[in-house]
Amino acid sequence: MDQAAISTSALSEAARTALHRLDHDLRTPLNVIQGFAALARKDPASADQALYLDQVIEQADVLQRLLDERITPLHRSAPP
């Protein structure tokens, strides 16, 4: 294998690894936020708290959709 092919292969592997880490590093805390907000929303202490939790849940859903639309396709289309 020539040097260019080795460099391309190493770059592809680095890109796959970076996308995987980015996907994981964003989704893991997002899932925790969504889970805790949903649990807290089941029994809010006040109407204001319920409103704040609804906003957290709504914005977390927006972030989840952005990840699904932008990061996941890149991760899946990365060359093997």
Side-chain angles (χ1 to χ4, degrees), residues 14-69:
R16 276 194 309 279
T17 299
L19 283 171
H20 176 75
R21 286 183 180 163
L22 178 65
D23 191 50
H24 179 268
D25 290 348
L26 292 173
R27 287 181 191 277
T28 299
L30 179 59
N31 287 334
V32 171
I33 291 166
Q34 288 174 312
F36 277 111
L39 284 173
R41 183 61 181 93
K42 288 182 179 183
D43 188 24
S46 69
D48 283 343
Q49 185 184 44
L51 176 66
Y52 300 148
L53 289 167
D54 287 343
Q55 291 174 354
V56 168
I57 292 167
E58 181 181 324
Q59 293 305 309
D61 289 345
V62 168
L63 184 53
Q64 182 75 46
R65 281 193 304 277
L66 286 171
L67 288 171
D68 291 344
E69 292 170 2

